[in-house]
Amino acid sequence: MQHTTSTHLTRWLSANRTDLLPLWIAAGNDLFAADHHAPARNGEAITVHPDERKVIVTALYDGLIAAAGGDEQPLDECLTALRALRSSIGEDDLPRQIMLFQRLRSMGRRALYRESMEATARQPQDDVFYHLLDALDDLIDYAITRLVERWVGAAHRVLNELNETRMLVESLYRDAEVTDRTTLQVSRLNQLARELSSTFDREAHLHRIGVTLAEVLAPVVVDIWLLAEDATCLELAWRYGAPMPDTRSIPLDATHDPVVQTLQQRELFLASNLVAADQNGWHIPDVAVLGIPLITQSGVTGVILCQGDERTLADRSQQDFARSVVGQAAIALENARLYAEVRALNADLERRIAERTRELQIERDTLETLNAIALEVSSTLDGDEIMSNSLKTLAKLIGVQHGSIMLLDRETDQLVDRAVLGKSDNVGYVRFSLGQGIVGWVAHHRKPLIVDDVTADPRWTPPPIDDPLAKRQGSMIAVPLIAHHEVLGVLVLSHEQPAYFREEHLRLLDASAKQIAIGIHNAQVYQHAEQQYFHRYEMQQRQEAAVSQSTAILQSLSDGVIVCDQKGSVLTVNLAAEKILDRPIEELVTWNLEDLLRRLLGRRVDELSLDDLLRNPWDDQHRPRTLSTTFQLGPRTINITLDPVISTKETLIGAVAVFRDRTREVESDRLKTEFIGTVSHELRTPMTSIKGFTQLLAMGGLGPLNETQKEFLGIIQSNAERMIAIINDLLDITKIETGSVELEIRPLHVAETLSTVMLDLQPKIQDRQQHLSLSIPAGLPLVRADARRFNQILFNIVSNAVKYTPRGGSITVEAREVTADAVPDEERDGLRPGRYVQIDVRDTGVGIAPEDLPRIWERFYRSENPLKVEAGGTGLGLSLVKPLIRLLGGRIWVESCINEGSVFSFVIPAV
């Protein structure tokens, strides 16, 4: 034994000690268990300690490890202790002792073979395993040799004593051996029969058959060949005692092969001189082969081969034992096959029963659902209840959590959601036109549809991005709701799992949709009739209540009055309203006040929102809100005032709309405006003459003047110019109110216009010792405006800042480019989006009181402040500036704080 191989074997035996030693101990117990209580020569039984064999076998294993490493003395000492395993007193049971070592050899071979196969699967290996196998054989052979030598030595010592009785002993021994073998075989057959009958596991049968034959015919290699399912070849199902060969299949046309010959001839086969190269790789060289066919009632199902010692396999008793084992094996394997077929048939039958049960369950659920929907349809005429309950029933049966019923709006030809699974409010906002989206396609083509993946369907319309609850993936099923050949809507169910819906779901929904459509149609007919009835009834009740409660009061008013309840339904209308609106009372009382206002105001209905007033009847100071606006009704001008009707307990009852005919007032204002314009125009001519002659006198055109005369002429000229400015302002206001202002819109430079204004105001600024700063960024865009009016706007605003800023104060004018979002919300109404130039005029003046801010845009209004008398003026400047800025497409607003100053800001459209 080479040193390297010995070292590897020592390590391998030590490494596999925990696996091999228990198996070897079990084999020893199995071999010597029959004589656990061996009878003594005097008829008394000797007791063997239960752990004695374990200790001896363990010592033997350690001795083998030491012998593999070169120390043979421990093994020799352990071989002496083997007498404790003898089957009878005075006799060493050498065959069993040898078989014990052979068992270890077989166990080691199998372990090495498994390791070789596992290592080869991971990566190619060298021939170290074959060296280990040879070393193991050498070690076992050495142990057996030493055992035999010791036994032979003992035999020689007693040879002389036994010489006279040798023939008798040998005869008795042979008889005992035959008896023991027969007993062992019968015991093994009984044990095998019990084990084979205890299970129908094919693999367990194969293992048990191989183990039984290998133990009785040892040393032997057992191969179990079974006929393939297609009956074209024999397949090696099991090998015990040696590694599996590379070839595990033999075709039936290989008639030269002993395995095929045994199968076809159905007779026992025994040979000892086979050539391994001719046997498809299964034959082990230099051993005999015993082949026995597996015969059942259905025919030959396979062959069991035993490869081992020729004398053992040729022994008639061993062959009879092998035949018996093979006979039991054939029956057990056939039973296992039949049991597997029965189980497969049972599984197929159970599958078919389950499928049919599921089909019957679906049919039953479909019928129950249709019955439930039919009962629901026949028990109520509430369309919402029919849709909601039907939707819940179908969703529960199919197992979905998302669904809706969309009905067709005949006025808009759009599908509108009317019932949504899990929602009782906030419906009616999802709309699809016919042909739009999947539901639109179903309604337009009047066909049901299953969509396995909505994201892959070109008809799918994705929901808005700002709707986090909207469905964005999964599968969908939709069926049309058709009653009396008319499409009423679409029933839709969806699931997050793609390809969730099947054809049985479609059949169920299609059948249910017909019942649901009939119920919805009946509910709609009933609802229409009910609405007509209640509409007429409510109209009558309202008329009677209005007449009985407030006829006298309302009829005495000159203003038209319409009173409505919290829902906007008209309760009372007086004769004045009939006259002002030029509509009969019978018609007015049937209207909803919100609808009436919408018809009267058109797009301006948001200025007088009844719904908003009914929802929020109080302002921030908890005072009743009042909404008012004016509109034209033919040639007349009507003013509407809308107020909430609140009880003494501060409970909202409804709203009252007061209509006042302001035609005469408007006409009066128009005449007044014309009068002011005419008077201003007439005053302008003489004032111009006064100014001209005053200038002529001041220049000395009629002779030299003294200082007093010059002073008086200066006062006359200054007041004449002031009067002309006032007249011009009045004329401008008149033009604005009459809509006769002519504008020449063109691109203008803000800096250029500001320079002109600053040049005009520079004397006043210097006189008041004020600091003026301008901030105009480079690249500021041009503005679109009328040059004269833009100059007039800037002059009025900056002039006010100069007049109402104390001496030594500061004035800042800033300009920058902005968008419409820079304008405050309250001034942004009607402002077009786009680019603007914002100009801020900031001063450190006396400021404006908060209560005066809304009135500074009125004509002739001047707020109270310390500089009011010193500043002078008529109060027309700002009343002229605001409408001029609006005419140019801009807006103006102001921020002010008393004694800190004001900031006037306005925007003009940029080019």
Side-chain angles (χ1 to χ4, degrees), residues 819-836:
T819 63
D821 294 335
V823 179
D825 294 339
E826 59 271 14
E827 296 291 339
R828 201 182 302 166
D829 183 34
L831 189 65
R832 295 181 179 179
R835 302 169 59 210
Y836 290 86

PDB file of all heavy atoms in Angstrom, residues 819-836:
ATOM      1  N   THR A 819     -45.758  88.405 -15.358  1.00  0.00           N
ATOM      2  CA  THR A 819     -46.869  87.716 -16.028  1.00  0.00           C
ATOM      3  C   THR A 819     -48.170  88.115 -15.336  1.00  0.00           C
ATOM      4  O   THR A 819     -48.169  88.847 -14.343  1.00  0.00           O
ATOM      5  CB  THR A 819     -46.692  86.202 -15.964  1.00  0.00           C
ATOM      6  OG1 THR A 819     -46.715  85.788 -14.580  1.00  0.00           O
ATOM      7  CG2 THR A 819     -45.368  85.786 -16.594  1.00  0.00           C
ATOM      8  N   ALA A 820     -49.265  87.596 -15.838  1.00  0.00           N
ATOM      9  CA  ALA A 820     -50.569  87.937 -15.263  1.00  0.00           C
ATOM     10  C   ALA A 820     -50.702  87.445 -13.829  1.00  0.00           C
ATOM     11  O   ALA A 820     -51.529  87.959 -13.064  1.00  0.00           O
ATOM     12  CB  ALA A 820     -51.690  87.351 -16.128  1.00  0.00           C
ATOM     13  N   ASP A 821     -49.880  86.446 -13.436  1.00  0.00           N
ATOM     14  CA  ASP A 821     -49.981  85.920 -12.068  1.00  0.00           C
ATOM     15  C   ASP A 821     -49.528  86.932 -11.033  1.00  0.00           C
ATOM     16  O   ASP A 821     -49.840  86.783  -9.839  1.00  0.00           O
ATOM     17  CB  ASP A 821     -49.116  84.656 -11.944  1.00  0.00           C
ATOM     18  CG  ASP A 821     -49.651  83.524 -12.809  1.00  0.00           C
ATOM     19  OD1 ASP A 821     -50.865  83.543 -13.098  1.00  0.00           O
ATOM     20  OD2 ASP A 821     -48.857  82.643 -13.188  1.00  0.00           O
ATOM     21  N   ALA A 822     -48.793  87.981 -11.438  1.00  0.00           N
ATOM     22  CA  ALA A 822     -48.339  88.992 -10.484  1.00  0.00           C
ATOM     23  C   ALA A 822     -49.471  89.900 -10.026  1.00  0.00           C
ATOM     24  O   ALA A 822     -49.336  90.611  -9.026  1.00  0.00           O
ATOM     25  CB  ALA A 822     -47.210  89.828 -11.104  1.00  0.00           C
ATOM     26  N   VAL A 823     -50.573  89.920 -10.740  1.00  0.00           N
ATOM     27  CA  VAL A 823     -51.702  90.787 -10.401  1.00  0.00           C
ATOM     28  C   VAL A 823     -52.497  90.130  -9.271  1.00  0.00           C
ATOM     29  O   VAL A 823     -52.738  88.919  -9.296  1.00  0.00           O
ATOM     30  CB  VAL A 823     -52.609  91.001 -11.632  1.00  0.00           C
ATOM     31  CG1 VAL A 823     -53.797  91.890 -11.283  1.00  0.00           C
ATOM     32  CG2 VAL A 823     -51.778  91.618 -12.762  1.00  0.00           C
ATOM     33  N   PRO A 824     -52.935  90.872  -8.256  1.00  0.00           N
ATOM     34  CA  PRO A 824     -53.744  90.288  -7.177  1.00  0.00           C
ATOM     35  C   PRO A 824     -55.004  89.621  -7.722  1.00  0.00           C
ATOM     36  O   PRO A 824     -55.540  90.005  -8.771  1.00  0.00           O
ATOM     37  CB  PRO A 824     -54.066  91.497  -6.288  1.00  0.00           C
ATOM     38  CG  PRO A 824     -52.980  92.483  -6.574  1.00  0.00           C
ATOM     39  CD  PRO A 824     -52.615  92.301  -8.009  1.00  0.00           C
ATOM     40  N   ASP A 825     -55.467  88.607  -7.001  1.00  0.00           N
ATOM     41  CA  ASP A 825     -56.612  87.821  -7.456  1.00  0.00           C
ATOM     42  C   ASP A 825     -57.844  88.678  -7.677  1.00  0.00           C
ATOM     43  O   ASP A 825     -58.598  88.466  -8.633  1.00  0.00           O
ATOM     44  CB  ASP A 825     -56.923  86.710  -6.445  1.00  0.00           C
ATOM     45  CG  ASP A 825     -55.806  85.692  -6.379  1.00  0.00           C
ATOM     46  OD1 ASP A 825     -55.022  85.618  -7.340  1.00  0.00           O
ATOM     47  OD2 ASP A 825     -55.716  84.977  -5.363  1.00  0.00           O
ATOM     48  N   GLU A 826     -58.064  89.657  -6.795  1.00  0.00           N
ATOM     49  CA  GLU A 826     -59.278  90.445  -6.913  1.00  0.00           C
ATOM     50  C   GLU A 826     -59.274  91.367  -8.129  1.00  0.00           C
ATOM     51  O   GLU A 826     -60.324  91.871  -8.545  1.00  0.00           O
ATOM     52  CB  GLU A 826     -59.505  91.276  -5.641  1.00  0.00           C
ATOM     53  CG  GLU A 826     -58.378  92.248  -5.304  1.00  0.00           C
ATOM     54  CD  GLU A 826     -57.306  91.636  -4.446  1.00  0.00           C
ATOM     55  OE1 GLU A 826     -57.292  90.388  -4.331  1.00  0.00           O
ATOM     56  OE2 GLU A 826     -56.489  92.373  -3.891  1.00  0.00           O
ATOM     57  N   GLU A 827     -58.104  91.620  -8.725  1.00  0.00           N
ATOM     58  CA  GLU A 827     -58.012  92.475  -9.900  1.00  0.00           C
ATOM     59  C   GLU A 827     -57.747  91.688 -11.188  1.00  0.00           C
ATOM     60  O   GLU A 827     -57.666  92.269 -12.254  1.00  0.00           O
ATOM     61  CB  GLU A 827     -56.880  93.506  -9.713  1.00  0.00           C
ATOM     62  CG  GLU A 827     -57.101  94.490  -8.579  1.00  0.00           C
ATOM     63  CD  GLU A 827     -58.246  95.449  -8.880  1.00  0.00           C
ATOM     64  OE1 GLU A 827     -58.579  95.620 -10.062  1.00  0.00           O
ATOM     65  OE2 GLU A 827     -58.811  96.018  -7.927  1.00  0.00           O
ATOM     66  N   ARG A 828     -57.584  90.354 -11.069  1.00  0.00           N
ATOM     67  CA  ARG A 828     -57.157  89.558 -12.212  1.00  0.00           C
ATOM     68  C   ARG A 828     -58.319  89.155 -13.125  1.00  0.00           C
ATOM     69  O   ARG A 828     -58.096  88.643 -14.226  1.00  0.00           O
ATOM     70  CB  ARG A 828     -56.439  88.307 -11.735  1.00  0.00           C
ATOM     71  CG  ARG A 828     -55.538  87.670 -12.781  1.00  0.00           C
ATOM     72  CD  ARG A 828     -54.897  86.409 -12.250  1.00  0.00           C
ATOM     73  NE  ARG A 828     -54.122  86.696 -11.059  1.00  0.00           N
ATOM     74  CZ  ARG A 828     -53.678  85.758 -10.234  1.00  0.00           C
ATOM     75  NH1 ARG A 828     -53.951  84.501 -10.469  1.00  0.00           N
ATOM     76  NH2 ARG A 828     -52.972  86.089  -9.165  1.00  0.00           N
ATOM     77  N   ASP A 829     -59.536  89.359 -12.697  1.00  0.00           N
ATOM     78  CA  ASP A 829     -60.686  88.915 -13.482  1.00  0.00           C
ATOM     79  C   ASP A 829     -60.681  89.581 -14.859  1.00  0.00           C
ATOM     80  O   ASP A 829     -60.625  90.804 -14.974  1.00  0.00           O
ATOM     81  CB  ASP A 829     -61.975  89.251 -12.732  1.00  0.00           C
ATOM     82  CG  ASP A 829     -63.190  88.738 -13.469  1.00  0.00           C
ATOM     83  OD1 ASP A 829     -63.081  87.675 -14.106  1.00  0.00           O
ATOM     84  OD2 ASP A 829     -64.245  89.410 -13.414  1.00  0.00           O
ATOM     85  N   GLY A 830     -60.760  88.785 -15.902  1.00  0.00           N
ATOM     86  CA  GLY A 830     -60.792  89.292 -17.264  1.00  0.00           C
ATOM     87  C   GLY A 830     -59.443  89.624 -17.846  1.00  0.00           C
ATOM     88  O   GLY A 830     -59.351  90.039 -19.005  1.00  0.00           O
ATOM     89  N   LEU A 831     -58.372  89.463 -17.063  1.00  0.00           N
ATOM     90  CA  LEU A 831     -57.036  89.791 -17.547  1.00  0.00           C
ATOM     91  C   LEU A 831     -56.503  88.633 -18.386  1.00  0.00           C
ATOM     92  O   LEU A 831     -56.517  87.481 -17.948  1.00  0.00           O
ATOM     93  CB  LEU A 831     -56.092  90.063 -16.372  1.00  0.00           C
ATOM     94  CG  LEU A 831     -54.714  90.623 -16.717  1.00  0.00           C
ATOM     95  CD1 LEU A 831     -54.835  92.008 -17.316  1.00  0.00           C
ATOM     96  CD2 LEU A 831     -53.831  90.643 -15.469  1.00  0.00           C
ATOM     97  N   ARG A 832     -56.034  88.939 -19.572  1.00  0.00           N
ATOM     98  CA  ARG A 832     -55.528  87.912 -20.454  1.00  0.00           C
ATOM     99  C   ARG A 832     -54.139  87.444 -20.008  1.00  0.00           C
ATOM    100  O   ARG A 832     -53.342  88.257 -19.560  1.00  0.00           O
ATOM    101  CB  ARG A 832     -55.446  88.426 -21.896  1.00  0.00           C
ATOM    102  CG  ARG A 832     -56.798  88.750 -22.508  1.00  0.00           C
ATOM    103  CD  ARG A 832     -56.622  89.220 -23.943  1.00  0.00           C
ATOM    104  NE  ARG A 832     -57.910  89.513 -24.561  1.00  0.00           N
ATOM    105  CZ  ARG A 832     -58.045  89.953 -25.807  1.00  0.00           C
ATOM    106  NH1 ARG A 832     -56.964  90.168 -26.552  1.00  0.00           N
ATOM    107  NH2 ARG A 832     -59.250  90.191 -26.307  1.00  0.00           N
ATOM    108  N   PRO A 833     -53.866  86.146 -20.140  1.00  0.00           N
ATOM    109  CA  PRO A 833     -52.507  85.682 -19.816  1.00  0.00           C
ATOM    110  C   PRO A 833     -51.496  86.183 -20.836  1.00  0.00           C
ATOM    111  O   PRO A 833     -51.827  86.406 -22.004  1.00  0.00           O
ATOM    112  CB  PRO A 833     -52.652  84.151 -19.883  1.00  0.00           C
ATOM    113  CG  PRO A 833     -53.823  83.911 -20.768  1.00  0.00           C
ATOM    114  CD  PRO A 833     -54.761  85.065 -20.552  1.00  0.00           C
ATOM    115  N   GLY A 834     -50.268  86.365 -20.378  1.00  0.00           N
ATOM    116  CA  GLY A 834     -49.230  86.845 -21.280  1.00  0.00           C
ATOM    117  C   GLY A 834     -48.186  87.657 -20.548  1.00  0.00           C
ATOM    118  O   GLY A 834     -48.103  87.654 -19.307  1.00  0.00           O
ATOM    119  N   ARG A 835     -47.367  88.401 -21.292  1.00  0.00           N
ATOM    120  CA  ARG A 835     -46.294  89.219 -20.729  1.00  0.00           C
ATOM    121  C   ARG A 835     -46.821  90.623 -20.442  1.00  0.00           C
ATOM    122  O   ARG A 835     -47.576  91.198 -21.234  1.00  0.00           O
ATOM    123  CB  ARG A 835     -45.115  89.288 -21.690  1.00  0.00           C
ATOM    124  CG  ARG A 835     -44.519  87.929 -22.056  1.00  0.00           C
ATOM    125  CD  ARG A 835     -43.546  88.068 -23.206  1.00  0.00           C
ATOM    126  NE  ARG A 835     -42.438  88.973 -22.892  1.00  0.00           N
ATOM    127  CZ  ARG A 835     -41.802  89.702 -23.790  1.00  0.00           C
ATOM    128  NH1 ARG A 835     -42.192  89.684 -25.048  1.00  0.00           N
ATOM    129  NH2 ARG A 835     -40.795  90.491 -23.426  1.00  0.00           N
ATOM    130  N   TYR A 836     -46.350  91.193 -19.312  1.00  0.00           N
ATOM    131  CA  TYR A 836     -46.744  92.539 -18.915  1.00  0.00           C
ATOM    132  C   TYR A 836     -45.514  93.239 -18.354  1.00  0.00           C
ATOM    133  O   TYR A 836     -44.531  92.613 -17.942  1.00  0.00           O
ATOM    134  CB  TYR A 836     -47.839  92.515 -17.843  1.00  0.00           C
ATOM    135  CG  TYR A 836     -49.181  92.035 -18.356  1.00  0.00           C
ATOM    136  CD1 TYR A 836     -49.492  90.683 -18.405  1.00  0.00           C
ATOM    137  CD2 TYR A 836     -50.157  92.946 -18.788  1.00  0.00           C
ATOM    138  CE1 TYR A 836     -50.711  90.233 -18.876  1.00  0.00           C
ATOM    139  CE2 TYR A 836     -51.380  92.504 -19.251  1.00  0.00           C
ATOM    140  CZ  TYR A 836     -51.654  91.156 -19.297  1.00  0.00           C
ATOM    141  OH  TYR A 836     -52.869  90.741 -19.754  1.00  0.00           O
TER     142      TYR A 836
END
